[in-house]
Amino acid sequence: LFAAPLAQGTWPVFAPDGSRCAIEARSDATWATRVGDPLPPEGLAARIEAHDCDPRRAGRLTTVLEGPWVLGRSATAEGFLVERPRADGGRDVGLAAWDGGVRMVAEDGATNAFATARPDGSLAWCRRAPEGGDWHLVVARPDGSRRVTAPAPGSSMLMPVFSGDGAGLFALRLDGRALSACWIALGADGLPAPDAASRPGASVPISMRSNLSLAVECARAAPGAAASPAGRDDVLLWLHEARTVGRWAPGGEVERLPPGTRSAVLIDDDNALATRSGGVHRQRMPGTAPPGPALLAEPWVLVPVGGDQPSFVGARAPGVGQVEVARISLEARQAPETGSR
């Protein structure tokens, strides 16, 4: 569709239907600032661009946001999430409209970070005191109701992802250097129980040698809501020790995809698309099967956007400081009658 500049260490986020995307085109933010540190004394200069992904208007700028902003992890039909670090250690979360303007979501003096969204407008993020301490989990509904749930003392909840089936959300729990993935049920009101972070419905160990930065990197397995696509009850995670992507469903163990998988998207229980250095491959599940032939010759990172046939928006970085955006469709074909699926 188009190419655009891309700030180092960032990746585009897409509207749920793939019609728009937001790209952090320029930024001098450090990694520490991105993962929750205060605004540095010299400040922060960034340029975030929203682009049209409709093929008839591909690449058209719809809005530009400049200033001390960091692009968030996902987007809704209304806009894309952004975060604004402050010099006092606090951090605000906002939703920048695709056509301009920012509606603040969390602006309460606390450090609010790692926000995510689901298509109905529900939001989840992590919150702690500006001076430091444990990260708590916040879930907010479009009607304005919200709930903060705290883990056990000494633990932090990080990187929430709503499950695609709408029944709950996933989050990472960091206890010292021990990292685990958790699943938390959502009630009829769309909110977790008050003690949900300390008593998750399910959990599984991920690593005994982790930290905040490595926990944040777990989200690189799939951008935004693509980690648990619509209808799915599982989640994709980047496993930094194994250097591959893992799939986890509550109550089970983490299922690793073949080593060298950089990113993935789940098609159904039996199939995934796995991005590797040589391109995008069909991956039979469970992930112990070797990757199939490359369907795309270049390493596109895919985000599903629905439809009768598998359809995606994708991004790839052909060089430093550049990103290309595309629409990608797969044609479903009847497999030969071989007796295997």
Side-chain angles (χ1 to χ4, degrees), residues 27-30 33 38-46 67-69 85-87:
S27 178
D28 55 12
T30 64
T33 302
L39 186 72
E42 64 274 17
L44 164 61
W69 298 97
R86 300 199 309 265

Side-chain angles (χ1 to χ4, degrees), residues 21-23 48-52 59-64 80 97-98:
C21 76
I23 298 171
I48 299 174
E49 300 176 348
H51 293 264
D52 201 322
R60 178 180 67 94
L61 273 175
T62 64
T63 191
V64 174
F80 52 95
W98 292 113

Side-chain angles (χ1 to χ4, degrees), residues 81-121:
L81 288 165
V82 291
E83 299 178 7
R84 181 174 60 191
R86 300 199 309 265
D88 63 2
R91 193 181 190 95
D92 307 322
V93 173
L95 189 67
W98 292 113
D99 295 316
V102 180
R103 174 172 65 85
M104 299 311 298
V105 174
E107 194 178 14
D108 56 4
T111 305
N112 300 283
F114 315 127
T116 191
R118 70 178 182 184
D120 72 351

Side-chain angles (χ1 to χ4, degrees), residues 152-341:
S155 298
S156 284
M157 302 301 287
L158 303 165
M159 309 304 287
V161 174
F162 287 101
S163 63
D165 63 2
L169 60 82
F170 299 95
L172 298 174
R173 184 178 62 207
L174 187 63
D175 302 286
R177 297 198 65 189
L179 184 69
S180 58
C182 301
W183 180 82
I184 293 172
L186 297 178
D189 59 359
L191 299 174
D195 62 349
S198 60
R199 301 177 63 186
S203 65
V204 67
I206 298 294
S207 172
M208 296 300 294
R209 295 180 294 178
S210 194
N211 54 38
L212 175 63
S213 290
L214 292 174
V216 170
E217 286 206 347
C218 280
R220 66 182 279 187
S228 186
R232 303 291 310 179
D233 63 354
D234 47 9
V235 68
L236 293 171
L237 302 166
W238 172 253
L239 308 175
H240 61 267
E241 292 178 9
R243 309 303 296 173
T244 191
V245 174
R247 177 177 74 170
W248 178 60
E253 298 298 320
V254 176
E255 178 186 317
R256 295 182 184 179
L257 276 69
T261 304
R262 297 181 176 183
S263 178
V265 60
L266 297 168
I267 304 301
D268 53 37
D269 289 342
D270 300 313
N271 297 279
L273 295 178
T275 301
R276 303 172 62 84
S277 60
V280 178
H281 298 251
R282 180 184 179 184
Q283 177 64 53
R284 292 291 185 95
M285 304 300 287
T288 52
L295 301 177
L296 298 170
E298 295 154 334
W300 293 93
V301 175
L302 304 179
V303 176
V305 294
D308 294 333
Q309 296 285 355
S311 181
F312 309 87
V313 284
R316 76 179 188 103
V320 177
Q322 299 175 303
V323 68
E324 293 179 345
V325 175
R327 279 188 172 271
I328 298 167
S329 296
L330 296 182
E331 180 183 351
R333 297 178 180 174
Q334 180 66 40
E337 294 293 336
T338 62
S340 61
R341 298 180 71 182

